[in-house]
Amino acid sequence: MYLTISLAQQTFQLHSSGAAYWVEQDTILLADVHLGKSAHFRKNGMAIPASADDMEYDKLNEVIELFNPSRLWFLGDLFHSYINAEWHFFEQWVRSQTIELALIMGNHDVIGKEIFEKIGVKTYEQLHMGDVILTHHPQEISGKFNIAGHVHPSIKMKGVGRQRVKLPCFFNNEFGLILAAFGDFTGTYTLKPKKGNRIFAIVEQEVMELH
């Protein structure tokens, strides 16, 4: 269900949901949840089942129960749109938590910081943790290891014959680690690895490094 790796002299457990547990900081990192996106689609006439909203909370609760962290930090694009019916479910979920919650603001986080802060979610533009810097957009920062989201990374694999499959992944390049998207309605962007990159693909309920 998760793969333990070492990057930048830190230990991370990469979970098949797209979450990463940072062992030394006792913190879950995840990006691009896009809560409210299914409600946004339904509002615009797309046939998305109401049960889709519950799936994201089930996944959140699953990783919290598994890792039992002190903190959960969202690396941007937590909420997809302005306040809608989904926001009230999110507010209830936040109030039920006993761990620290924080959000690094992403381009889809159009709800004001003060509203997140009011319900108990701390907000930042970026977070510095020693030699690690957490952002929403991947950045090249001299002397720092960057952990970010935004890209929704995936990798294309060739199977037997002409079969091709696209797998969501965690993508490690020379600048840092790009997290897989946590949300189920996000889509993905195919990245082409270069020499020295490490790819941790999500295959069903497992995470495996590709060689």
Side-chain angles (χ1 to χ4, degrees), residues 22-33:
W22 186 356
V23 175
E24 287 82 2
Q25 295 292 338
D26 191 25
T27 299
I28 290 174
L29 306 174
L30 50 86
D32 304 292
V33 184

Side-chain angles (χ1 to χ4, degrees), residues 105-122:
M105 302 298 288
N107 52 292
H108 278 285
D109 294 310
V110 293
I111 296 172
K113 290 183 177 181
E114 68 281 359
I115 297 177
F116 282 107
E117 297 272 359
K118 185 177 180 180
I119 66 171
V121 179
K122 298 178 180 179

Side-chain angles (χ1 to χ4, degrees), residues 136-197:
H136 176 59
H137 292 84
Q139 299 183 26
E140 178 182 354
I141 305 170
S142 178
K144 297 290 184 179
F145 184 83
N146 175 228
I147 304 178
H150 181 65
V151 177
H152 308 179
S154 65
I155 188 78
K156 283 186 178 178
M157 301 291 295
K158 295 180 180 179
V160 293
R162 296 185 179 181
Q163 183 184 16
R164 292 176 180 268
V165 62
K166 185 165 69 170
L167 301 172
C169 67
F170 299 85
F171 193 92
N172 170 223
N173 58 22
E174 60 269 38
F175 312 124
L177 178 68
I178 304 173
L179 300 185
F182 190 85
D184 289 319
F185 293 95
T186 59
T188 61
Y189 178 76
T190 302
L191 297 177
K192 295 181 179 180
K194 301 177 182 178
K195 184 177 181 180
N197 293 165

Side-chain angles (χ1 to χ4, degrees), residues 39-98:
H40 177 76
F41 283 163
R42 286 196 298 274
K43 184 179 179 181
N44 287 277
M46 297 183 67
I48 305 295
S51 60
D53 299 324
D54 298 331
M55 293 170 57
E56 308 296 356
Y57 294 102
D58 289 343
K59 288 171 62 180
L60 286 167
N61 292 333
E62 177 186 339
V63 295
I64 291 171
E65 183 177 355
L66 176 63
F67 294 113
N68 191 27
S70 299
R71 302 178 289 198
L72 190 158
W73 292 341
F74 298 96
L75 304 192
D77 287 2
L78 169 57
F79 210 82
H80 183 74
S81 61
Y82 293 96
I83 290 178
N84 57 24
E86 179 69 17
W87 175 262
H88 303 292
F89 292 108
F90 174 65
E91 184 175 358
Q92 292 175 16
W93 180 83
V94 169
R95 297 193 187 283
S96 73
Q97 300 305 307
T98 58

